[in-house]
Amino acid sequence: AQSVTQLGSHVSVSEGALVLLRCNYSSSVPPYLFWYVQYPNQGLQLLLKYTTGATLVKGINGFEAEFKKSETSFHLTKPSAHMSDAAEYFCALENSGGSNYKLTFGKGTLLTVNP
Amino acid sequence: DAGVIQSPRHEVTEMGQEVTLRCKPISGHNSLFWYRQTMMRGLELLIYFNNNVPIDDSGMPEDRFSAKMPNASFSTLKIQPSEPRDSAVYFCASSLEGSEQFFGPGTRLTVL
């Protein structure tokens, strides 16, 4: 069975500091991996995704993530946090191939940015 | 495009009542997903449709839950009878052939 584990349900950083949100996955087939962001009282919005090819993926709002197969990880980073980055972030996995489009989500990480 | 539209945005009902949540996917999308989000369980996939056909409903918690997609532009999630433990935010999402899922704003359901 596939699964997604996000380490740390709550991460707090200072404005301008590095943001690192951790995601590890388990999958029996090559995965497609996603990061979504959820602002208060809103739906989820895609930040970035990895399917195939380049393992370093750049997304919106200055975020990027690196797929590391050997570590089964897909950590999300941003060099300098902004107050507007405060939100909940979800890592998700989809099995590649076939017509199964189901996403398996992690529990989420709430990012707080302090002034 | 207006994005995925969900109604109502908030619903407060009493235990035992029937609740119907509605979703209009993005025009042209052929996959539709219903999710439930709670503090305890996080984001759970309830059911998804492809070309209006239910493909996987293994996440539907009980027979009290049912979902339909009568056409490509409309889906409903019904809970009958509702219970307090059904209180959650329910999201609808749509996509085109497994590409990015676009989420609606959600319906916050409170069952008293």
Side-chain angles (χ1 to χ4, degrees), chain B residues 27-41:
Chain B
S27 177
H29 283 189
N30 63 344
S31 295
L32 184 139
F33 307 80
W34 281 102
Y35 293 90
R36 178 173 67 177
Q37 185 178 40
T38 61
M39 290 292 290
M40 291 296 295
R41 301 172 69 91

PDB file of all heavy atoms in Angstrom, chain B residues 27-41:
ATOM      1  N   SER B  27     -15.364  22.982 -16.498  1.00  0.00           N
ATOM      2  CA  SER B  27     -15.835  22.523 -17.803  1.00  0.00           C
ATOM      3  C   SER B  27     -14.713  21.837 -18.571  1.00  0.00           C
ATOM      4  O   SER B  27     -13.594  22.359 -18.669  1.00  0.00           O
ATOM      5  CB  SER B  27     -16.356  23.723 -18.603  1.00  0.00           C
ATOM      6  OG  SER B  27     -16.756  23.320 -19.893  1.00  0.00           O
ATOM      7  N   GLY B  28     -15.021  20.641 -19.093  1.00  0.00           N
ATOM      8  CA  GLY B  28     -14.029  19.895 -19.868  1.00  0.00           C
ATOM      9  C   GLY B  28     -13.266  18.861 -19.056  1.00  0.00           C
ATOM     10  O   GLY B  28     -12.647  17.962 -19.628  1.00  0.00           O
ATOM     11  N   HIS B  29     -13.303  18.992 -17.742  1.00  0.00           N
ATOM     12  CA  HIS B  29     -12.643  17.995 -16.910  1.00  0.00           C
ATOM     13  C   HIS B  29     -13.471  16.715 -16.882  1.00  0.00           C
ATOM     14  O   HIS B  29     -14.707  16.767 -16.862  1.00  0.00           O
ATOM     15  CB  HIS B  29     -12.450  18.519 -15.490  1.00  0.00           C
ATOM     16  CG  HIS B  29     -11.319  19.478 -15.370  1.00  0.00           C
ATOM     17  ND1 HIS B  29     -10.869  19.934 -14.144  1.00  0.00           N
ATOM     18  CD2 HIS B  29     -10.525  20.057 -16.308  1.00  0.00           C
ATOM     19  CE1 HIS B  29      -9.840  20.758 -14.342  1.00  0.00           C
ATOM     20  NE2 HIS B  29      -9.629  20.854 -15.640  1.00  0.00           N
ATOM     21  N   ASN B  30     -12.797  15.557 -16.862  1.00  0.00           N
ATOM     22  CA  ASN B  30     -13.532  14.303 -16.918  1.00  0.00           C
ATOM     23  C   ASN B  30     -13.355  13.432 -15.681  1.00  0.00           C
ATOM     24  O   ASN B  30     -13.860  12.325 -15.629  1.00  0.00           O
ATOM     25  CB  ASN B  30     -13.149  13.511 -18.176  1.00  0.00           C
ATOM     26  CG  ASN B  30     -11.688  13.109 -18.178  1.00  0.00           C
ATOM     27  OD1 ASN B  30     -10.884  13.638 -17.416  1.00  0.00           O
ATOM     28  ND2 ASN B  30     -11.340  12.168 -19.031  1.00  0.00           N
ATOM     29  N   SER B  31     -12.606  13.930 -14.709  1.00  0.00           N
ATOM     30  CA  SER B  31     -12.491  13.205 -13.440  1.00  0.00           C
ATOM     31  C   SER B  31     -12.964  14.107 -12.312  1.00  0.00           C
ATOM     32  O   SER B  31     -12.652  15.301 -12.289  1.00  0.00           O
ATOM     33  CB  SER B  31     -11.040  12.784 -13.174  1.00  0.00           C
ATOM     34  OG  SER B  31     -10.605  11.844 -14.132  1.00  0.00           O
ATOM     35  N   LEU B  32     -13.711  13.517 -11.387  1.00  0.00           N
ATOM     36  CA  LEU B  32     -14.228  14.286 -10.262  1.00  0.00           C
ATOM     37  C   LEU B  32     -14.007  13.504  -8.983  1.00  0.00           C
ATOM     38  O   LEU B  32     -14.206  12.285  -8.937  1.00  0.00           O
ATOM     39  CB  LEU B  32     -15.720  14.587 -10.441  1.00  0.00           C
ATOM     40  CG  LEU B  32     -16.367  15.470  -9.360  1.00  0.00           C
ATOM     41  CD1 LEU B  32     -17.321  16.479  -9.985  1.00  0.00           C
ATOM     42  CD2 LEU B  32     -17.050  14.649  -8.303  1.00  0.00           C
ATOM     43  N   PHE B  33     -13.598  14.212  -7.946  1.00  0.00           N
ATOM     44  CA  PHE B  33     -13.213  13.590  -6.680  1.00  0.00           C
ATOM     45  C   PHE B  33     -13.956  14.267  -5.533  1.00  0.00           C
ATOM     46  O   PHE B  33     -14.097  15.484  -5.503  1.00  0.00           O
ATOM     47  CB  PHE B  33     -11.709  13.755  -6.438  1.00  0.00           C
ATOM     48  CG  PHE B  33     -10.840  13.291  -7.579  1.00  0.00           C
ATOM     49  CD1 PHE B  33     -10.647  14.098  -8.691  1.00  0.00           C
ATOM     50  CD2 PHE B  33     -10.211  12.064  -7.537  1.00  0.00           C
ATOM     51  CE1 PHE B  33      -9.848  13.682  -9.743  1.00  0.00           C
ATOM     52  CE2 PHE B  33      -9.406  11.632  -8.584  1.00  0.00           C
ATOM     53  CZ  PHE B  33      -9.219  12.442  -9.685  1.00  0.00           C
ATOM     54  N   TRP B  34     -14.402  13.457  -4.574  1.00  0.00           N
ATOM     55  CA  TRP B  34     -14.950  13.986  -3.315  1.00  0.00           C
ATOM     56  C   TRP B  34     -14.015  13.601  -2.179  1.00  0.00           C
ATOM     57  O   TRP B  34     -13.657  12.435  -2.017  1.00  0.00           O
ATOM     58  CB  TRP B  34     -16.332  13.396  -3.035  1.00  0.00           C
ATOM     59  CG  TRP B  34     -17.448  14.024  -3.800  1.00  0.00           C
ATOM     60  CD1 TRP B  34     -18.083  13.526  -4.914  1.00  0.00           C
ATOM     61  CD2 TRP B  34     -18.106  15.258  -3.509  1.00  0.00           C
ATOM     62  NE1 TRP B  34     -19.077  14.378  -5.326  1.00  0.00           N
ATOM     63  CE2 TRP B  34     -19.116  15.452  -4.473  1.00  0.00           C
ATOM     64  CE3 TRP B  34     -17.956  16.232  -2.513  1.00  0.00           C
ATOM     65  CZ2 TRP B  34     -19.965  16.560  -4.487  1.00  0.00           C
ATOM     66  CZ3 TRP B  34     -18.786  17.340  -2.524  1.00  0.00           C
ATOM     67  CH2 TRP B  34     -19.782  17.500  -3.503  1.00  0.00           C
ATOM     68  N   TYR B  35     -13.615  14.612  -1.397  1.00  0.00           N
ATOM     69  CA  TYR B  35     -12.743  14.420  -0.249  1.00  0.00           C
ATOM     70  C   TYR B  35     -13.435  14.914   1.019  1.00  0.00           C
ATOM     71  O   TYR B  35     -14.298  15.789   0.982  1.00  0.00           O
ATOM     72  CB  TYR B  35     -11.442  15.219  -0.398  1.00  0.00           C
ATOM     73  CG  TYR B  35     -10.507  14.782  -1.478  1.00  0.00           C
ATOM     74  CD1 TYR B  35     -10.607  15.305  -2.771  1.00  0.00           C
ATOM     75  CD2 TYR B  35      -9.505  13.860  -1.225  1.00  0.00           C
ATOM     76  CE1 TYR B  35      -9.724  14.924  -3.766  1.00  0.00           C
ATOM     77  CE2 TYR B  35      -8.611  13.468  -2.214  1.00  0.00           C
ATOM     78  CZ  TYR B  35      -8.725  14.012  -3.480  1.00  0.00           C
ATOM     79  OH  TYR B  35      -7.854  13.621  -4.465  1.00  0.00           O
ATOM     80  N   ARG B  36     -12.993  14.367   2.143  1.00  0.00           N
ATOM     81  CA  ARG B  36     -13.442  14.850   3.445  1.00  0.00           C
ATOM     82  C   ARG B  36     -12.197  15.217   4.249  1.00  0.00           C
ATOM     83  O   ARG B  36     -11.219  14.455   4.266  1.00  0.00           O
ATOM     84  CB  ARG B  36     -14.246  13.762   4.162  1.00  0.00           C
ATOM     85  CG  ARG B  36     -14.717  14.149   5.556  1.00  0.00           C
ATOM     86  CD  ARG B  36     -15.645  13.114   6.137  1.00  0.00           C
ATOM     87  NE  ARG B  36     -15.004  11.848   6.411  1.00  0.00           N
ATOM     88  CZ  ARG B  36     -15.630  10.822   6.976  1.00  0.00           C
ATOM     89  NH1 ARG B  36     -16.914  10.925   7.308  1.00  0.00           N
ATOM     90  NH2 ARG B  36     -14.989   9.693   7.203  1.00  0.00           N
ATOM     91  N   GLN B  37     -12.245  16.358   4.917  1.00  0.00           N
ATOM     92  CA  GLN B  37     -11.115  16.807   5.718  1.00  0.00           C
ATOM     93  C   GLN B  37     -11.546  17.018   7.156  1.00  0.00           C
ATOM     94  O   GLN B  37     -12.476  17.772   7.450  1.00  0.00           O
ATOM     95  CB  GLN B  37     -10.525  18.103   5.164  1.00  0.00           C
ATOM     96  CG  GLN B  37      -9.263  18.564   5.883  1.00  0.00           C
ATOM     97  CD  GLN B  37      -8.684  19.831   5.278  1.00  0.00           C
ATOM     98  OE1 GLN B  37      -9.405  20.747   4.895  1.00  0.00           O
ATOM     99  NE2 GLN B  37      -7.367  19.890   5.172  1.00  0.00           N
ATOM    100  N   THR B  38     -10.862  16.339   8.083  1.00  0.00           N
ATOM    101  CA  THR B  38     -11.093  16.524   9.513  1.00  0.00           C
ATOM    102  C   THR B  38      -9.750  16.664  10.208  1.00  0.00           C
ATOM    103  O   THR B  38      -8.712  16.275   9.675  1.00  0.00           O
ATOM    104  CB  THR B  38     -11.853  15.336  10.139  1.00  0.00           C
ATOM    105  OG1 THR B  38     -11.044  14.146   9.959  1.00  0.00           O
ATOM    106  CG2 THR B  38     -13.193  15.115   9.482  1.00  0.00           C
ATOM    107  N   MET B  39      -9.794  17.212  11.399  1.00  0.00           N
ATOM    108  CA  MET B  39      -8.551  17.359  12.165  1.00  0.00           C
ATOM    109  C   MET B  39      -7.957  15.990  12.486  1.00  0.00           C
ATOM    110  O   MET B  39      -6.747  15.802  12.442  1.00  0.00           O
ATOM    111  CB  MET B  39      -8.822  18.126  13.452  1.00  0.00           C
ATOM    112  CG  MET B  39      -9.131  19.585  13.248  1.00  0.00           C
ATOM    113  SD  MET B  39      -7.703  20.494  12.671  1.00  0.00           S
ATOM    114  CE  MET B  39      -6.689  20.453  14.141  1.00  0.00           C
ATOM    115  N   MET B  40      -8.825  15.054  12.807  1.00  0.00           N
ATOM    116  CA  MET B  40      -8.344  13.751  13.267  1.00  0.00           C
ATOM    117  C   MET B  40      -7.794  12.897  12.126  1.00  0.00           C
ATOM    118  O   MET B  40      -6.772  12.230  12.291  1.00  0.00           O
ATOM    119  CB  MET B  40      -9.489  12.997  13.954  1.00  0.00           C
ATOM    120  CG  MET B  40      -9.913  13.597  15.270  1.00  0.00           C
ATOM    121  SD  MET B  40      -8.589  13.531  16.496  1.00  0.00           S
ATOM    122  CE  MET B  40      -8.424  11.768  16.713  1.00  0.00           C
ATOM    123  N   ARG B  41      -8.463  12.919  10.986  1.00  0.00           N
ATOM    124  CA  ARG B  41      -8.141  11.975   9.918  1.00  0.00           C
ATOM    125  C   ARG B  41      -7.482  12.628   8.712  1.00  0.00           C
ATOM    126  O   ARG B  41      -7.088  11.942   7.768  1.00  0.00           O
ATOM    127  CB  ARG B  41      -9.404  11.233   9.488  1.00  0.00           C
ATOM    128  CG  ARG B  41     -10.071  10.466  10.632  1.00  0.00           C
ATOM    129  CD  ARG B  41     -11.416   9.921  10.178  1.00  0.00           C
ATOM    130  NE  ARG B  41     -11.250   8.870   9.191  1.00  0.00           N
ATOM    131  CZ  ARG B  41     -11.153   7.580   9.470  1.00  0.00           C
ATOM    132  NH1 ARG B  41     -11.214   7.187  10.731  1.00  0.00           N
ATOM    133  NH2 ARG B  41     -11.017   6.687   8.512  1.00  0.00           N
TER     134      ARG B  41
END
